Amino acid sequence: MAEQNGDTAGPAEVEAADEVEQLRAERDDMRDRFMRALADAENTRKRGERDRREAEQYGGSKLARDMLPVFDNMKRAMEAISEEQREASKALIEGIELTMRELLNIFEKHGIRIVSPEVGEKFDPEYHQAMFEAPVPNTKAGDIIQVMAEGFMLHDRLLRPAQVGVSSTPG
């Protein structure tokens, strides 16, 4: 009689309730997997965007690094020109200077800037490479005493440290 009044559930009702509970658990699992897939897709999109930006900014770093000796050699050539040579070969030297300016303009256009320390500045291992140490009067240990080659940055990354000589004289 109790079954007819609805006080206890029959086997079909128990089976239906179990099935509903199983479907809810399956739905919750699918929702969780869907949310994880969405998050994963968003992370992949962001990573792809970051990789694209980095490739755009730093993709030419190998070429840029390979161009630095060209700059160094041209600078040395210009520094070696005497006044007599300057007068005798004015057009040639103007051409070399124009080429140097163009190279620097291209560097600037592509985010390459010169790291040019001055004698007397403090040595900074993030931007400078010590090529030698020497005791020099009237300097403190760690002061730059000579600049052999400028360094270069590509945006916010170091392409090549400035090559410097450093004082070993105790302060």
Side-chain angles (χ1 to χ4, degrees):
M1 284 292 211
E3 279 184 22
Q4 288 177 343
N5 293 340
D7 290 347
T8 59
E13 292 168 338
V14 168
E15 194 173 300
D18 286 348
E19 189 175 335
V20 166
E21 193 54 43
Q22 183 180 0
L23 288 172
R24 281 188 182 134
E26 214 174 292
R27 177 203 63 196
D28 291 346
D29 181 55
M30 290 295 192
R31 181 183 295 143
D32 183 57
R33 288 165 63 188
F34 175 72
M35 296 305 283
R36 288 177 192 271
L38 274 179
D40 193 39
E42 180 63 15
N43 289 339
T44 300
R45 185 192 65 76
K46 286 179 182 176
R47 188 178 320 112
E49 179 65 23
R50 185 187 68 236
D51 290 350
R52 184 194 62 75
R53 272 193 320 271
E54 282 192 8
E56 205 172 82
Q57 278 195 321
Y58 305 111
S61 64
K62 185 172 177 4
L63 174 63
R65 201 172 286 117
D66 289 347
M67 290 297 295
L68 300 182
V70 174
F71 171 85
D72 293 336
N73 290 334
M74 287 189 68
K75 184 169 183 188
R76 277 192 286 274
M78 288 176 51
E79 289 170 350
I81 298 170
S82 69
E83 261 323 299
E84 297 83 41
Q85 290 170 326
R86 191 171 290 280
E87 288 302 316
S89 304
K90 190 172 184 174
L92 174 67
I93 292 167
E94 283 178 3
I96 294 170
E97 288 171 341
L98 181 64
T99 303
M100 182 65 141
R101 278 195 301 274
E102 185 62 26
L103 180 61
L104 289 171
N105 287 337
I106 290 169
F107 280 180
E108 185 178 327
K109 177 181 172 185
H110 291 279
I112 300 168
R113 61 185 169 82
I114 296 174
V115 175
S116 187
E118 297 288 326
V119 171
E121 283 183 25
K122 195 79 177 143
F123 174 78
D124 183 346
E126 287 196 34
Y127 300 104
H128 309 142
Q129 178 182 7
M131 303 304 288
F132 68 89
E133 275 191 335
V136 176
N138 302 320
T139 62
K140 294 183 220 144
D143 285 353
I144 294 174
I145 54 174
Q146 184 180 351
V147 178
M148 277 89 74
E150 285 131 334
F152 293 87
M153 299 286 293
L154 177 58
H155 301 289
D156 59 346
R157 291 186 183 168
L158 187 67
L159 268 178
R160 180 182 83 187
Q163 298 172 346
V164 298
V166 181
S167 175
S168 62
T169 303

